[in-house]
Structures are given as structure tokens and as C-alpha cells.
Amino acid sequence: MKMQQQSALFLLLLAVTSQGAASADADVAAAPESNWNDKIKVFTVATEPTDGYLRYLRSSRVYDIEVTTLGLGEEWKGGDMQRPGGGFKLNLLRKAIAPYKNDPEIIILFTDSYDVIITSTLDEIYEKFQESGAKLLVSAEKYCWPDQSLANDYPEVEGRASRFLNSGAFIGYAPQVYGLLEDPIDDTADDQLYFTKIFLDETKRAKLGMKLDTQSRLFQNLHGAKNDVKLKVDLESNQGVLQNVDFMTTPAIIHGNGLSKVDLNAYGNYLARTYNGVCLFCQENLLDLDESNLPVISLALIVTQPVPFFDQFLEGIEKLNYPKEKLHLLIFSNVPFHDDDSRSFVSKHGKKYATAKYALSTDELDERQGRQLALDKARLHHSDYIFYVDADAHIDDGEVLRELLRMNKQFIGPLFTKHNELWSNFWGALSEGGYYARSHDYVDIVKHELIGMFNVPHVTSIYLVKKSAFNAISFKHNEFDPDMAMCESLRNAGIFMYISNLRSFGHLVNADNFNSTVTRPDFHTLFSNRLDWTEKYIHPNYSLQLNSSYKIPQPCPDVFWFQIVTDAFCDDLVAIMEAHNSWSDGSNSDNRLEGGYEAVPTRDIHMKQVGLDQMYLKFLQLFVSPLQERVFDGYVHNPPRSLMNFMVRYRPDEQPSLRPHHDASTYTINIAMNRVGVDYEGGGCRFLRYNCSVTDTKKGWMLMHPGRLTHYHEGLLVTNGTRYIMISFIDP
Ligand SMILES: *[C@@H]1O[C@H](CO)[C@@H](O)[C@H](O)[C@H]1NC(C)=O
Ligand SMILES: *[C@@H]1O[C@H](CO)[C@@H](O)[C@H](O)[C@H]1NC(C)=O
Ligand SMILES: *[C@@H]1O[C@H](CO)[C@@H](O)[C@H](O)[C@H]1NC(C)=O
Ligand SMILES: *[C@@H]1O[C@H](CO)[C@@H](O)[C@H](O)[C@H]1NC(C)=O
Ligand SMILES: *[C@@H]1O[C@H](CO)[C@@H](O)[C@H](O)[C@H]1NC(C)=O
């Protein structure tokens, strides 16, 4: 077995020891011949097939255990749904085991279901029961509940053993279990108190041969036991085993009692053979999509902050591979900056959808109301699902919706992360206040080093919710934001939230420090959003030119021509310059320069003046240097230095041309910002030594040529319109 050192913070994952591995293997081996199997009757109680109940049943199937579920479909009469305690449960069980009450050969195993996972076979369970020497063995926990005043009546225990009774799981011979249940109890009474009183009565305890499993040999209650247990995950198969490290036991029944449900959910991602090298759990219960009868889905786009690259966000929505007539579109935006684009998206594409509506900032709804509105509309449309997508979640994989549907969960989100960051749209764990905490597997999931579908306590940004969960959702909360409120409401309802990283579905843009009040705000975000910036602003053919077999055009000797930026780059940068409108006067005196004198003046604006100099240097480093290295062999100066990055404006009535000159550079780049023959006439660049001109410049294409000595050049006359070019003198 390959051992690997994990680098994740808050590391809980340990390499499985050879001992642990052996026991894990035993767990999954086929049960050997045993006549005990049919003597052990397993019961649980569940009135509703919650996600927790389905998880419990799955674990029982994995270990070949046949379970009888009591109360399914009945109305729960035992008080709080979350905790299947209550006398109701005992009354159901008493009735169910009555036929065996006099049969000392029969063993009854009872467990709760919503918050229980089975992790071994009946053979092992039987063996552990036998070793306990009890006739009736009840699970034990760290807290005396519900009547703390009884704590001192309990027998003392040593060290870190669990002293107090928990009624969530027990095993015993049928006559003893029946004896335990003999006294009448109201449906709404507390079953744990009922058991506690019997246990604390020494006569009854002795008569029933009743013991508590204080060292978690068979049962592990998780509440208050975080430091008692360790999840050990085999790093190759990802199969997990939960060990009690105080007593080096491997309990067979894991119970997320009390406040430990989130912990159980996290362990549950690895227990009961959810993995075997690959995610087995991800291949179970898949939904076969019937193309002739696809689910109806409400698609809710939620815009609650100014975000960069909103146009690309909307393109991602258009990419969804799903019949639009099965989608009810709603754009909710409370951000004035995005109102226009939202409106025009609906008017341009709305007709394809079943319905298409928007609620914009003028409707003055806050985020809670907006999310609620989307849910109300989903109900109104009788949608089978609602798919929430926030404006910072960019869909890259158009299959995302179908892939999530296939997973067939009440709630599932695709993993989205900020590019090259550990920031994502889920939390692996919660702090005590209900805020973010990092789980042991968080980094591995984010980096796709661990691939699957994970039950987590918090998902944001993009998620698909099934109709059956609509009524559980609430966005209201005094303290939490709407996302946190929603997740809390789902946790309280016992609805599991899954995050899937089975594919790379998309990414989050970085809206931090995004200033939507500047001209063309997306253009300013190269540092914070390199991925989206590159997609929007770098020419789609850019990287072809890095291939050494691609022939770079040479319109004049040692003048090279590259496809470098998009029309959006040119249009945005020209708009930024025109909005700034600080064109120089074209005279020789220039106070932007160190000497205050410019020998060959142009009408221009420096990048420094519009606050984009640092960003432009980054652009030179990332995108220009690699091209330079392709054409001037052996000259490697990265990052390039450039003190002068500026846009020049030529106009017949202003400055129409530039006299011959050398540049103060090792090499110069010159990017055409608009179209000859359309935006202007004339213009171009002439290299005098070669009597060679480039006049058919192309928008978004860059000329690169040596600055001094050989490439004495002039700017040719512009006869009509306005010509813009973007110049850098590199390595002066
Ligand atoms: C956003 O840009 C505007 C206009 O340039 C500027 O006045 C403002 O200070 C900027 N805000 C932030 C937070 O940088
Ligand atoms: C990219 O280059 C190919 C030829 O190699 C050309 O056909 C295509 O139009 C170019 N794409 C763009 C956006 O200019
Ligand atoms: C470079 O281009 C050649 C010819 O078009 C092609 O065969 C090769 O795969 C390309 N190499 C890379 C790394 O893209
Ligand atoms: C330069 O080229 C132009 C046309 O390209 C030609 O008319 C002219 O005679 C050339 N001048 C010299 C000095 O070769
Ligand atoms: C300049 O361009 C405008 C618009 O493209 C056109 O109407 C006009 O006739 C042009 N002027 C000259 C002198 O070519």
C-alpha cells in the first residue's frame, strides 16, 4: 500500500495502518457462512425516507444486513422530527418484536436511522456483542441527557470512556429487549429517559443483563466525541474507517447524535464503501434522463453585487445544453450596473425559454426577497427543480445541468473555484457559530485530487434543488446572510447538500475590489481575474503563434506581425482613453517626461495617466515577451522594461502623421486599435531603410520591430477619420 504525506491543513487523514487495512478488507469481504445472520433481527424507525434514512439503508445493504423499518409513511408522533427519539419509537418496536419475546435464540439490534451509518457485517456485530458479556448492550455517550441531575447515579467509568446511556442504538437477546420495553410509555415521552431510569435501577439492570458500551466497541455516539475518533482513509482506495482512538476500537454503528450530524455527514463521505479507488457512491441511483419528458427547471440568475465579465457569465448560461423550452428563466438583479445587460439578455434570448422574466434594481428587492421570489416562481411554474446561478459563477461546461440532474439528489452543486485559488463555493465543515471551517479533505476536493460527490454543510453560488426540498428552504435569518440561512434551513430539515467535482464544471470570478464606476471596468482586472481577462481580451489565435512551426508574417524586413488582442481590448482601451481625454498637445514640451522635452511629439495619453501602467507591464510580460522570444532569438528579457506605454491618436485636423525617427527602445510594439478603410483612411508605418510600408494594418494585430539603428520609420498621413495605435518602447 502506497503511503503519502498529505499537506492539507487540519489534517485528519492518516494513512491506514496495516491493522486498519486488514479490518477494512474484512468489512468488505463476503460474509462467511453463519447461522447467526438469521437469528439477528435488525430494526429501525423512520417515518419519512429522508436523505439520512437512505444513507442508512445504503450502509445496511453494503454489509448485507436486512433491516425492518418501522413507521415508514406514518405520521411521526414522537416530538421533534430531527431526533427520532420519543416513546413512539419504543411502542413501534415493542409491537414488532412481540413474536420473539420468549425466544432466547433471537437477537434484536435496534438503531435510529436518520443519523446512523452501519460500518460492518452482522458477523462482526455479533462477535462484539458476545465479547461484551452483556445480554443487553446499549450505546453510551459523553453527556447525561435529558436529565442531567441523574449523572451522579451512573456507575463511574475510567479514563475517557463514555458514562451515559444513549437510546439511539442497542442490541440484546429478544426476551431482554422485550423486558426493557415492557413498561408503558407515551408516544411523546422521552425514550432515553425511560431507558436511563431502567438502567439506573440496579435490580432491573442486573435482571436484564444490561450494560453500556462505554468503550465504543460496537456503538459510537459522536456528540462530544470529536477528539475520541479519527477517520482513517486509505489514500489509494479512499475507503474510510472510523476508529475510536481512546480504546483503539472500530465501532460498527456510528450515530451522529445531538449536534454531531455535520460530523457524521463528513465521515459518511468515506464510510460504508462509498469509494473503492473511484467514487462508487457517485454511480448509484443515477437518474436516466428521458429526452421526451425532461424535468421542468426554473433557472434563477442572481446578481447581488457588481461582477466583472457579466457578458461572459451570460454566455455561459446560453451554453447550457438543455432545451430552453423546459427552462423558466428569471434574472434577479439588485445592482443598477447590471440592469441594462440583464434586460437586453431577456429581450434577445427570452423567447426561446418557457418563460423569461427579470426583476431589476428598480424593483427594490433585497437579496433575500430576490432569492425567495425565484423560489415562489418555481412553485408557481410547477418546476421539478430550481437551478440557482449567481453572477460570479461562470459555467464552462454546458453539460453541468444534465450532470447534476443525473446525480438525482435533493440538493447538489458543482464545485466552482476561483482560478488557481483555494476559494470555492462550499464549506467542508462549520465552526461553532455556524460559520466557515475547513475540513480535512477541503484542499484535496478543491484541487481535484479527490474526486467525487461530498455531503457538506454549506454550498453557495450555483446549485440545483429538487421540488421535494422547496418547502424546507428559508432565506430568513437575523444574523446569517441569505446563503447561510438557506443552508442552515436545509441542514435542519435533514436535507443533504452535495458538492460534485466529477468534472470541471466552471469557475468563480473574483469580484473583490471590482470598481464598476470606472470606464470599462473589466479591462482593469487582469491581476484579479487573469483567466477571464485572457479569454475576453487576448486574441483566440494567440497561442498558435508560440508553436515553433507557425510562420510569423514579416511584412518588412525584421518587422513581425502578430495576432495579439481582441476587438474588445481595442474598443475598451480606446474608450478608456477617450473618456480620460487628456491628449497631449503635440508640442515639444512634455512635462510627463523626465527632461520635459519630446523631440518627436505625438498626440497621446500614457498608460500611467489612466492608472493602467502596472497592468500593461504585466500584459507585456505575459503576452508580448513570449512572442518576442520567437522572433529575436537569444534575447530573453522577461519581464520587459518599458517606461513609455501610450496610445497615439492621428487625425487630419489634429496630428495626421509623424516625421521619421528612431525609437528609444530595443524593440517597439505597435498595436492597431481600429480599422483602416472603415474607421479612418490613410495611415500606416514606413521603414525608410527598406522603403517598405505597412498600410493594411489589422485591428488587434501587433507590429514588432527593432527600435534603433535599422528601423528608422515614420507615421504615414491619415487622410480621414481617426486612427489609434498603442505603442510601447521596450527595454529602452
Ligand atoms: C472607483 O473608481 C472611481 C472613479 O475612478 C474612484 O473615484 C473611486 O475612488 C474608485 N473606488 C475604489 C474603491 O477604488
Ligand atoms: C485564427 O486563425 C485562422 C487561420 O489560422 C483563421 O481562419 C481565423 O479566422 C483566425 N481567428 C480569428 C478570430 O481571427
Ligand atoms: C505545432 O504545430 C504543428 C503543425 O501545425 C503541429 O503538428 C503540432 O502539434 C503543434 N504543436 C503544439 C505543441 O501545439
Ligand atoms: C519606394 O517604394 C515606392 C512604392 O512602394 C516606389 O514608388 C518608390 O520609387 C520607392 N523609392 C525608392 C527610393 O526606391
Ligand atoms: C471621410 O469619411 C466620411 C465618413 O466615412 C465620409 O463621409 C467622407 O466623405 C470622407 N471624407 C473624405 C475627404 O474622404
Side-chain angles (χ1 to χ4, degrees):
M1 183 171 304
K2 203 180 95 199
M3 306 281 181
Q4 229 173 284
Q5 195 63 39
Q6 289 275 311
S7 61
L9 282 171
F10 305 101
L11 185 79
L12 281 177
L13 282 173
L14 301 176
V16 171
T17 60
S18 50
Q19 187 193 355
S23 90
D25 288 344
D27 285 350
V28 300
E33 286 293 322
S34 160
N35 47 7
W36 277 109
N37 271 351
D38 47 3
K39 298 255 154 90
I40 304 183
K41 308 287 178 196
V42 185
F43 292 94
T44 192
V45 169
T47 50
E48 286 180 42
T50 62
D51 287 339
Y53 173 69
L54 297 177
R55 175 180 62 189
Y56 172 84
L57 272 196
R58 180 191 175 279
S59 72
S60 73
R61 275 198 306 273
V62 162
Y63 297 103
D64 248 337
I65 298 175
E66 202 181 306
V67 180
T68 304
T69 302
L70 308 174
L72 206 56
E74 291 183 35
E75 188 193 337
W76 176 251
K77 299 186 192 113
D80 181 14
M81 237 284 298
Q82 266 310 293
R83 194 175 158 272
F88 182 52
K89 162 173 113 177
L90 302 193
N91 289 329
L92 288 171
L93 182 62
R94 182 193 299 112
K95 203 161 126 199
I97 67 168
Y100 314 112
K101 68 182 177 187
N102 296 318
D103 189 344
E105 298 266 283
I106 296 289
I107 292 173
I108 307 291
L109 170 63
F110 177 86
T111 72
D112 288 349
S113 64
Y114 297 160
D115 51 8
V116 168
I117 297 174
I118 298 173
T119 67
S120 70
T121 59
L122 277 185
D123 281 305
E124 247 185 87
I125 291 172
Y126 174 69
E127 200 175 300
K128 286 172 174 174
F129 174 51
Q130 290 298 296
E131 282 166 11
S132 77
K135 297 248 183 241
L136 175 57
L137 185 68
V138 183
S139 81
E141 62 160 301
K142 287 274 155 76
Y143 295 106
C144 184
W145 182 263
D147 183 352
Q148 279 169 292
S149 70
L150 299 174
N152 290 329
D153 299 346
Y154 272 92
E156 304 259 4
V157 293
E158 287 197 9
R160 297 190 47 77
S162 299
R163 187 177 178 186
F164 307 106
L165 179 144
N166 181 291
S167 61
F170 50 89
I171 185 170
Y173 293 98
Q176 278 74 14
V177 174
Y178 197 78
L180 177 71
L181 305 176
E182 224 160 30
D183 297 336
I185 176 169
D186 278 353
D187 278 346
T188 53
D190 192 288
D191 58 310
Q192 187 152 303
L193 186 62
Y194 171 98
F195 282 9
T196 302
K197 285 185 173 158
I198 293 173
F199 178 74
L200 295 180
D201 180 330
E202 284 185 47
T203 318
K204 286 186 179 169
R205 189 196 309 162
K207 186 170 152 237
L208 293 175
M210 188 178 185
K211 287 187 181 178
L212 297 188
D213 183 22
T214 57
Q215 300 192 345
S216 299
R217 291 179 185 280
L218 193 45
F219 306 114
Q220 179 68 57
N221 288 299
L222 293 174
H223 183 44
K226 217 168 185 155
N227 298 324
D228 300 1
V229 295
K230 268 217 158 85
L231 178 68
K232 300 194 158 191
V233 178
D234 177 319
L235 292 177
E236 275 188 0
S237 68
N238 290 320
Q239 294 206 37
V241 172
L242 194 72
Q243 199 167 59
N244 182 302
V245 291
D246 294 333
F247 299 102
M248 295 314 279
T249 56
T250 311
I253 311 282
I254 316 295
H255 181 203
N257 59 316
L259 300 176
S260 63
K261 303 205 181 341
V262 170
D263 299 329
L264 181 73
N265 291 350
Y267 300 141
N269 288 324
Y270 302 92
L271 298 178
R273 259 198 289 164
T274 47
Y275 269 99
N276 189 4
V278 295
C279 178
L280 299 175
F281 175 60
C282 307
Q283 298 160 23
E284 298 167 5
N285 292 318
L286 299 184
L287 180 72
D288 240 338
L289 288 175
D290 172 4
E291 290 300 323
S292 64
N293 190 20
L294 287 172
V296 174
I297 296 173
S298 280
L299 175 58
L301 312 184
I302 307 288
V303 191
T304 60
Q305 58 176 338
V307 288
F309 306 107
F310 191 61
D311 45 356
Q312 279 155 277
F313 165 75
L314 292 173
E315 276 168 31
I317 296 299
E318 271 293 293
K319 268 197 304 229
L320 279 177
N321 173 22
Y322 205 76
K324 303 276 191 285
E325 67 270 17
K326 290 283 183 180
L327 297 174
H328 292 282
L329 174 71
L330 173 73
I331 305 185
F332 165 73
S333 163
N334 61 4
V335 183
F337 176 63
H338 291 304
D339 280 356
D340 284 350
D341 287 343
S342 302
R343 205 181 284 117
S344 61
F345 183 79
V346 167
S347 61
K348 184 160 171 218
H349 300 286
K351 285 175 279 302
K352 293 180 284 187
Y353 291 83
T355 62
K357 294 265 152 57
Y358 48 72
L360 303 179
S361 65
T362 43
D363 295 300
E364 299 192 338
L365 301 180
D366 67 16
E367 181 181 347
R368 273 178 228 285
Q369 293 166 321
R371 291 186 185 276
Q372 185 64 47
L373 174 73
L375 191 58
D376 295 343
K377 289 230 181 264
R379 283 203 192 89
L380 206 69
H381 292 307
H382 304 288
S383 293
D384 301 303
Y385 293 83
I386 185 167
F387 189 32
Y388 281 99
V389 188
D390 291 3
D392 61 344
H394 281 209
I395 292 169
D396 297 323
D397 180 349
E399 295 305 312
V400 62
L401 181 51
R402 283 169 183 270
E403 288 298 308
L404 297 182
L405 282 170
R406 260 161 49 78
M407 293 298 137
N408 202 9
K409 299 291 171 213
Q410 292 199 86
F411 182 108
I412 184 167
L415 172 73
F416 273 37
T417 57
K418 284 187 187 172
H419 184 57
N420 279 338
E421 285 187 45
L422 293 179
W423 180 284
S424 80
N425 65 327
F426 82 99
W427 297 351
L430 293 182
S431 68
E432 286 191 359
Y435 288 88
Y436 169 82
R438 192 172 271 192
S439 57
H440 64 86
D441 49 5
Y442 180 81
V443 172
D444 294 330
I445 295 172
V446 166
K447 292 186 164 174
H448 287 260
E449 273 157 23
L450 182 62
I451 291 181
M453 187 163 61
F454 306 87
N455 182 350
V456 297
H458 183 98
V459 175
T460 62
S461 306
I462 174 167
Y463 39 83
L464 181 68
V465 189
K466 215 184 242 182
K467 184 165 57 178
S468 55
F470 286 3
N471 287 338
I473 290 182
S474 165
F475 296 105
K476 296 204 188 86
H477 203 280
N478 291 335
E479 180 187 347
F480 290 167
D481 67 29
D483 274 333
M484 287 175 68
M486 176 193 73
C487 292
E488 192 192 43
S489 66
L490 288 166
R491 291 197 302 273
N492 289 342
I495 290 168
F496 292 168
M497 286 167 271
Y498 289 96
I499 191 97
S500 163
N501 67 354
L502 290 164
R503 292 161 71 140
S504 289
F505 293 109
H507 66 280
L508 299 175
V509 297
N510 186 359
D512 299 346
N513 304 319
F514 178 62
N515 190 340
S516 63
T517 68
V518 300
T519 306
R520 308 294 166 112
D522 289 356
F523 192 84
H524 297 250
T525 66
L526 170 58
F527 286 110
S528 54
N529 284 291
R530 190 193 290 185
L531 186 75
D532 297 280
W533 195 94
T534 302
E535 190 185 317
K536 181 165 180 171
Y537 293 121
I538 295 301
H539 198 286
N541 282 346
Y542 171 82
S543 40
L544 294 179
Q545 305 164 113
L546 301 176
N547 186 332
S548 58
S549 58
Y550 182 96
K551 199 165 177 318
I552 311 284
Q554 231 180 122
C556 297
D558 286 327
V559 177
F560 298 92
W561 219 359
F562 301 95
Q563 308 164 67
I564 187 156
V565 294
T566 58
D567 283 359
F569 179 104
C570 301
D571 298 343
D572 282 4
L573 192 49
V574 168
I576 287 168
M577 293 306 190
E578 285 297 353
H580 201 260
N581 201 23
S582 52
W583 301 100
S584 58
D585 61 8
S587 71
N588 292 110
S589 120
D590 190 342
N591 58 17
R592 299 169 302 178
L593 306 179
E594 232 168 69
Y597 181 83
E598 171 58 66
V600 193
T602 49
R603 302 280 183 157
D604 57 37
I605 299 178
H606 290 197
M607 283 302 235
K608 215 173 256 164
Q609 292 173 269
V610 293
L612 285 168
D613 212 41
Q614 290 310 312
M615 201 192 89
Y616 206 71
L617 290 175
K618 189 73 187 176
F619 163 78
L620 298 180
Q621 177 194 341
L622 291 175
F623 303 109
V624 174
S625 253
L627 297 178
Q628 173 266 299
E629 284 170 28
R630 274 229 49 212
V631 293
F632 297 122
D633 285 345
Y635 186 76
V636 182
H637 277 225
N638 205 359
R641 254 174 17 96
S642 176
L643 306 176
M644 297 269 282
N645 305 295
F646 54 98
M647 187 178 288
V648 179
R649 180 167 87 176
Y650 289 114
R651 276 181 176 172
D653 58 352
E654 202 175 66
Q655 174 170 5
S657 63
L658 187 62
R659 70 174 171 80
H661 60 282
H662 283 295
D663 291 337
S665 72
T666 302
Y667 66 96
T668 294
I669 60 166
N670 174 340
I671 307 177
M673 293 279 119
N674 58 355
R675 296 162 299 176
V676 61
V678 179
D679 303 310
Y680 65 90
E681 285 154 38
C685 188
R686 176 166 172 267
F687 297 90
L688 281 69
R689 178 179 172 88
Y690 313 102
N691 188 24
C692 177
S693 301
V694 187
T695 50
D696 56 344
T697 55
K698 300 186 186 82
K699 184 176 178 179
W701 287 54
M702 170 176 81
L703 292 172
M704 181 184 285
H705 59 80
R708 301 191 175 87
L709 215 56
T710 51
H711 283 67
Y712 193 57
H713 58 285
E714 66 180 330
L716 298 173
L717 188 73
V718 172
T719 54
N720 197 2
T722 304
R723 175 183 185 222
Y724 299 98
I725 53 176
M726 186 65 211
I727 305 290
S728 294
F729 296 157
I730 299 184
D731 297 335

